[in-house]
């Protein structure tokens, strides 16, 4: 065996025991159930992932976004001067693209690095006047009523909220639309969500979970009764012995349930597009896109 200077922190053993003695199945939503997007260090690391064109895990790659923007432009009847609300806008990659086409865009996200980047991107493209980026939890926003032509909740983010929070957010988004305005929600296709219980681990020196050597372990559970996926992540930081634990819940919805949620929010026409309506996205088959129209009554 080679001698390796591990520089190991004394707390490592304690952290390993904590993992060993972890409770069984995690309880849904305990401690929030979302990634720590609003933690400044995590947000800065996540921003690297958003901008990394080698994968589309945090934001889709630019060519894929361009295809989505064309599709949204047509389906949401967008045009220069239209007002768009992008809830969970991340680093503003969609919002700034829409502003460059002449829309007035409000983006809301609670990731500090993402919002800072979105503002910088808007400035780089000289569309600062057309963009308003707000660093806030979308569950607490109160956009002015009947003032937008379109609202977006993209890349499955409605799923990280409890059913009650999601219903409230859909109502908030719909209330922000003027009559005939369109609400676009992208959600994982419930039938295609991974429901197998599984575990995994990997090591790295730098990545989403840390900027110094770490071991990352994960487990996935499926709650059939609630149609909910639970992922528990442990990151063990080798230089310090610090152990981070994160629970991520993904609430899934069948098409009928989501259409009901939209109708309860005063949307009377709901179009459902399985597999991103055939757009050439590598993961298109996993998604349903809902486009709902705010009642004109
Ligand atoms: C997968 S990213 C997608 C970002 C963007 N829609 C895109 O596709 O580039 C999810 C985003 O949701 C944001 N988010 C998650 N929960 C949120 C909350 N409660 N309030 C505000 N933003 C939230 C995260 O900060 C993150 O930027």
């Amino acid at each position: 065996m080679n001698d390796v200077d591990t520089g190991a922190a004394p707390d490592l053993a304690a952290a390993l025991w904590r993992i060993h003695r972890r409770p069984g199945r995690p309880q849904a939503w305990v401690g929030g159930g979302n990634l720590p997007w609003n933690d400044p260090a995590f947000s800065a690391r996540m921003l690297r992932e958003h901008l990394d064109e080698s994968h589309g895990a945090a934001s889709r790659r630019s060519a894929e976004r361009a295809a989505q923007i064309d599709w949204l432009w047509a389906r949401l009847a967008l045009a220069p001067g239209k007002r768009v609300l992008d809830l969970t806008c991340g680093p503003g990659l969609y919002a700034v693209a829409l502003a460059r086409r002449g829309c007035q865009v409000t983006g809301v996200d609670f990731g500090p690095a993402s919002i800072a980047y979105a503002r910088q991107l808007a400035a780089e493209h000289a569309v600062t006047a057309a963009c308003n980026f707000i660093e806030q939890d979308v569950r607490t926003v109160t956009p002015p009523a009947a003032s937008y032509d379109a609202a977006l909740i993209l890349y499955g983010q409605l799923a990280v909220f409890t059913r009650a929070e999601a219903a409230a957010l859909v109502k908030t988004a719909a209330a922000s639309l003027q009559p005939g305005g369109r609400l676009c929600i992208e959600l994982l296709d419930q039938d295609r969500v991974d429901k197998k219980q599984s575990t995994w681990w990997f090591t790295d020196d730098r990545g989403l979970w840390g900027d110094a050597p770490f071991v990352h372990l994960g487990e996935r559970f499926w709650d059939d009764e609630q149609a909910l996926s639970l992922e528990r992540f442990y990151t063990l930081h080798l230089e310090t012995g610090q152990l981070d634990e994160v629970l991520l819940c993904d609430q899934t919805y069948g098409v009928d349930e989501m259409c009901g949620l939209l109708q309860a929010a005063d949307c009377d026409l709901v179009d459902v597009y399985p597999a991103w309506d055939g757009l050439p996205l590598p993961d298109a088959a996993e998604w349903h896109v809902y486009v709902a129209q705010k009642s004109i009554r």
Side-chain angles (χ1 to χ4, degrees):
M1 198 176 93
N2 292 333
D3 282 339
V4 178
D5 176 10
T6 59
D11 294 344
L12 279 178
L16 288 170
W17 275 112
R18 274 182 55 203
I19 294 172
H20 182 74
R21 292 179 178 138
R22 71 196 180 287
R25 214 181 158 85
Q27 280 196 325
W29 309 112
V30 171
N34 197 354
L35 294 177
W37 302 93
N38 52 345
D39 171 80
F42 186 85
S43 177
R45 295 195 300 271
M46 183 59 91
L47 179 60
R48 291 198 307 243
E49 305 301 324
H50 281 292
L51 305 179
D52 184 342
E53 284 277 314
S54 72
H55 66 80
S59 290
R60 290 195 170 83
R61 298 173 181 90
S62 53
E64 295 158 30
R65 291 197 307 271
Q68 290 176 301
I69 297 274
D70 283 344
W71 189 91
L72 292 168
W73 196 260
R75 296 285 175 208
L76 305 185
L78 296 176
K82 296 275 184 182
R83 288 152 302 170
V84 181
L85 176 64
D86 185 356
L87 295 167
T88 67
C89 66
L93 304 174
Y94 293 83
V96 170
L98 293 171
R100 293 181 71 196
R101 290 185 176 206
C103 294
Q104 292 284 326
V105 187
T106 299
V108 185
D109 199 287
F110 69 176
S114 275
I115 286 294
Y117 181 86
R119 290 178 180 142
Q120 178 196 319
L121 190 64
E124 278 167 18
H125 289 288
V127 289
T128 298
C131 294
N132 177 24
F133 287 110
I134 301 170
E135 186 183 327
Q136 192 174 336
D137 190 320
V138 291
R139 291 169 296 181
T140 65
V141 287
T142 49
S147 52
Y148 289 95
D149 299 292
L152 313 171
I153 308 177
L154 297 179
Y155 225 178
Q157 281 310 289
L158 195 66
V160 300
F161 304 124
T162 66
R163 278 195 165 90
E165 289 170 338
L169 185 57
V170 168
K171 279 199 171 143
T172 300
S176 79
L177 295 173
Q178 53 176 339
R182 314 267 169 101
L183 170 56
C184 178
I185 298 180
E186 179 190 8
L187 271 180
L188 282 172
D189 177 344
Q190 189 175 52
D191 292 341
R192 298 190 57 110
V193 170
D194 189 349
K195 303 180 181 73
K196 284 188 303 296
Q197 185 159 338
S198 56
T199 58
W200 61 89
W201 65 272
F202 63 89
T203 61
D204 213 336
D205 293 330
R206 187 170 189 264
L208 175 61
W209 300 99
D211 275 336
F214 61 82
V215 179
H216 184 82
L217 307 101
E219 325 177 76
R220 179 181 298 120
F221 304 85
W222 173 252
D223 181 330
D224 207 32
E225 205 174 316
Q226 296 188 62
L228 179 90
S229 158
L230 300 110
E231 287 177 308
R232 180 163 56 191
F233 307 116
Y234 286 104
T235 306
L236 177 50
H237 300 277
L238 299 178
E239 289 178 356
T240 61
Q242 182 185 321
L243 182 66
D244 298 333
E245 179 180 344
V246 170
L247 174 68
L248 175 62
C249 299
D250 266 294
Q251 180 63 60
T252 69
Y253 294 89
V255 170
D256 288 349
E257 184 177 3
M258 185 46 55
C259 290
L261 220 69
L262 288 159
Q263 280 150 3
D266 203 18
C267 292
D268 53 13
L269 287 174
V270 184
D271 291 321
V272 187
Y273 299 94
W276 259 106
D277 202 20
L279 279 195
L281 311 174
D283 62 343
E286 294 172 30
W287 299 91
H288 275 148
V289 183
Y290 296 81
V291 176
Q293 187 174 323
K294 177 76 182 295
S295 166
I296 49 175
R297 276 172 282 118

